[in-house]
Amino acid sequence: MKKETICVQSGYQSKNGEPRVLPIYQSTTYSYDSSEELAKLFDLTKDGHMYSRISNPTVSCVEKKVAELEKGVGAMMTSSGQAASLISILNITGSGDNFICFSNLYGGTTNLFAVTLRKLGIEARFVSYEMSDEEIEALIDERTTLLFGETISNPSLEVLDIERYAKLAHAHGIPLIVDNTFATPILCRPFEWGADIVVHSTSKYMDGHAEVVGGMIVDSGKFDWSGYSCLSEPDDSYHGVIYTKQFGNSAYITKARVQLMRDLGSTPSPFSAFLLNNGLETLHLRMERHSQNALSVAKHLKAHEKVSWVNYPGLPDDRYHDLAMKYLDGGLSSGVVSFGTVNGKKGATVFMDSLKLAKICVHVADLRTCVLHPASTTHRQLTDEQLVSAGVRPEFIRFSTGIENIDDIIADIDQALEKI
C-alpha cells in the first residue's frame, strides 16, 4: 500500500462482527488456559501478550502501522520521545562505551546524551556537519557503538545527509540512528537512504493534536548485529537466548522490548496509542498542508523589513535546499520555520508577546500555530557554546506553522512584527 493508505488502513484489521475502529484494550494483563502456554511467552518461543508493561493489543496495532510507514521489520512504542531516544542507545551501548552524535540536536536530547548518559558511564562525542568524514572518523574507536542524528534538526532546521553518514557509520561497523520526528515517514523514509534505526517523538506531527506524549523506535532489519555481544551472545535474563539467532533481523527491536521495556517500564498506555492512531490516520494530509503553509510563511518573512534572517529548507536559497530536495518529498520541509527579528532578543520577545492567533507554548509540530524562543526555554540549560553549536541565537524564534488558513497566519505575523 502507498503511504496515504497505510495511514488509514494499516495496523488494526477488523474481522466479521468486530469493531470497525481500533479498540482500547485497557487491561494490565491477559489470561491463558494453561500455565504451559504462558511459560512459552516468557521463554520467547510463542507470540502473545503477557503483561501490558511489555506489550498490549492496542499499542501493537499502532506499532505495526508505524513500522509499515517506515518500511521497517518492527516498532516499539514508548511513553515519550525521550524514552525512545534513550532506549535506542541503551539497547546496544553500556558503561565504558561511546557514541557519535551531532551537536544540532533538540536541547532535551543534548541534555540526555551529554549529562544523564555520562552519569551512566556512556560518552556522547559531538560532531557537526561542517566536519569532514576524516575528522568524524578520528573520534570513532573500538568502543563506539553508533552514530545519531536528526533528519531535520530541531530547531535549527538543518537537513541530515543520511546517505553520507550511513556510509560513514557502516564503514566502521556501527549503525546510523535517525530521529525522524520533524519529517515523519510521510516526507522521508531514512531506511531507504541507509539508516538502520529510526526514532520518533510521536507527540509532534504523528499525534498532531498536542493531546498525548509518546515515542517510537523502528528497526529496519537490515543491520548485521553479529559484532554486538549484547545481541549475539546469550542473555542470562532469558535463560541464554541469543537474539540474533532466535529472532534474525528482528533481533534489535525484540531485545529493546523484552529486555529494556521490561526493565525500564517506559510503557505507553492503550489510550495514548488510541489517540496516536487517530492522528496517524490524517498524517499524510496534515504534513502536506503544514509544509505548504510554512513555505508561504518563510517567503513572507524573507521579504519583511523587521526580519533579519530566515531558515527553512524549502526555500530555494536555503543552504539545505538541495538536501531537502533529495531526502524530503519534493522538498516539502514540515511546518517549522526558524527566523530572527531585528532588535535581537528584545525584538523577538515583542513579536511573540504580540501574537494573537499563534500561542506561545513549549510544543511544536501540531495542527495549531505556535511559537517559542528556544534560547530561554527548550535550550535554556545549554551553555553559550552549546547554543551556538545548536544554531540557537538570542533573536532565534521557532515558528510552528499550523494548518489554519494561511491568510490568517500571515495577518497575525504582520500585526506582531509591526509592534517591534
Side-chain angles (χ1 to χ4, degrees):
M1 295 187 291
K2 304 295 184 184
K3 289 183 285 189
E4 296 85 353
T5 309
I6 293 171
C7 284
V8 178
Q9 293 286 350
S10 183
Y12 171 70
Q13 295 293 325
S14 59
K15 298 177 182 177
N16 186 47
E18 292 185 342
R20 180 71 178 91
V21 175
L22 173 66
I24 302 172
Y25 292 88
Q26 192 64 51
S27 179
T28 62
T29 191
Y30 312 89
S31 60
Y32 290 89
D33 294 334
S34 71
S35 57
E36 181 182 0
E37 190 174 2
L38 187 57
K40 289 179 180 179
L41 294 179
F42 277 87
D43 284 340
L44 307 181
T45 58
K46 177 181 175 63
D47 290 334
H49 304 285
M50 59 181 99
Y51 194 59
S52 281
R53 172 156 46 85
I54 299 174
S55 65
N56 169 278
T58 306
V59 176
S60 293
C61 287
V62 182
E63 291 169 340
K64 181 180 178 182
K65 176 176 287 189
V66 175
E68 193 168 345
L69 279 170
E70 289 283 12
K71 289 191 173 181
V73 296
M76 183 180 77
M77 187 177 175
T78 61
S79 56
S80 69
Q82 283 289 77
S85 295
L86 174 63
I87 291 175
S88 75
I89 303 292
L90 292 184
N91 201 34
I92 54 173
T93 308
S95 180
D97 291 336
N98 65 79
F99 65 96
I100 309 296
C101 59
F102 290 98
S103 58
N104 59 1
L105 301 175
Y106 162 63
T109 306
T110 299
N111 286 326
L112 169 64
F113 289 178
V115 179
T116 302
L117 286 183
R118 184 178 62 200
K119 294 177 181 178
L120 301 180
I122 297 171
E123 179 190 1
R125 296 178 176 177
F126 290 90
V127 297
S128 70
Y129 292 170
E130 285 69 34
M131 295 172 65
S132 66
D133 287 1
E134 291 73 21
E135 289 174 310
I136 295 174
E137 289 174 319
L139 298 174
I140 299 175
D141 58 32
E142 68 280 357
R143 297 301 298 269
T144 304
T145 60
L146 61 97
L147 175 60
F148 189 104
E150 295 176 348
T151 308
I152 305 174
S153 61
N154 176 14
S156 58
L157 306 183
E158 297 169 301
V159 179
L160 180 71
D161 191 343
I162 301 170
E163 191 171 31
R164 170 190 170 187
Y165 294 115
K167 290 179 180 178
L168 187 154
H170 296 162
H172 292 270
I174 60 175
L176 173 64
I177 300 180
V178 175
D179 184 332
N180 200 32
T181 296
F182 270 14
T184 79
I186 301 302
L187 302 186
C188 179
R189 283 169 161 165
F191 294 156
E192 294 178 348
W193 300 99
D196 303 290
I197 304 296
V198 159
V199 297
H200 289 276
S201 170
T202 61
S203 322
K204 310 306 189 293
Y205 287 122
M206 282 188 166
D207 164 31
H209 299 77
E211 290 178 339
V212 61
V213 174
M216 194 75 68
I217 305 173
V218 190
D219 185 354
S220 70
K222 296 178 180 179
F223 191 79
D224 179 5
W225 299 106
S226 60
Y228 286 73
S229 59
C230 59
L231 287 159
S232 61
E233 295 181 7
D235 178 358
D236 293 337
S237 71
Y238 276 107
H239 306 294
V241 66
I242 299 175
Y243 295 103
T244 52
K245 182 177 180 179
Q246 187 162 329
F247 300 101
N249 66 345
S250 297
Y252 176 94
I253 201 67
T254 300
K255 177 180 179 293
R257 180 182 303 281
V258 302
Q259 187 188 81
L260 289 181
M261 184 61 80
R262 176 199 65 185
D263 294 347
L264 299 180
S266 302
T267 308
S269 74
F271 187 55
S272 295
F274 173 82
L275 292 175
L276 173 58
N277 187 65
N278 284 347
L280 289 169
E281 288 179 343
T282 60
L283 180 62
H284 56 294
L285 299 173
R286 290 184 287 104
M287 289 310 295
E288 183 176 357
R289 182 63 174 266
H290 277 297
S291 299
Q292 291 171 346
N293 277 358
L295 181 58
S296 295
V297 166
K299 289 178 177 178
H300 187 77
L301 290 170
K302 193 87 172 175
H304 203 288
E305 60 181 6
K306 297 290 183 71
V307 176
S308 54
W309 56 269
V310 179
N311 285 342
Y312 186 69
L315 289 172
D317 60 349
D318 188 272
R319 62 176 177 151
Y320 289 98
H321 183 69
D322 289 344
L323 288 176
M325 293 300 294
K326 177 178 179 178
Y327 294 117
L328 306 178
D329 185 11
L332 295 176
S333 303
S334 86
V336 184
V337 180
S338 62
F339 67 99
T341 61
V342 297
N343 294 347
K345 184 178 180 180
K346 182 178 180 180
T349 301
V350 170
F351 169 77
M352 292 173 59
D353 291 348
S354 301
L355 290 166
K356 298 177 180 179
L357 181 149
K359 302 300 182 183
I360 301 172
C361 61
V362 188
H363 198 252
V364 65
D366 69 74
L367 55 85
R368 305 167 192 86
T369 297
C370 57
V371 65
L372 194 70
H373 186 250
S376 59
T377 54
T378 57
H379 289 63
R380 192 179 185 88
Q381 284 74 36
L382 301 190
T383 65
D384 290 342
E385 183 177 298
Q386 287 175 321
L387 286 172
V388 172
S389 296
V392 179
R393 310 178 208 175
E395 76 278 13
F396 190 112
I397 294 170
R398 186 183 71 183
F399 193 88
S400 181
T401 314
I403 60 173
E404 304 94 344
N405 185 284
I406 187 59
D407 293 338
D408 293 330
I409 296 173
I410 289 178
D412 191 34
I413 290 172
D414 283 346
Q415 65 84 23
L417 286 174
E418 290 306 314
K419 303 289 175 40
I420 299 176

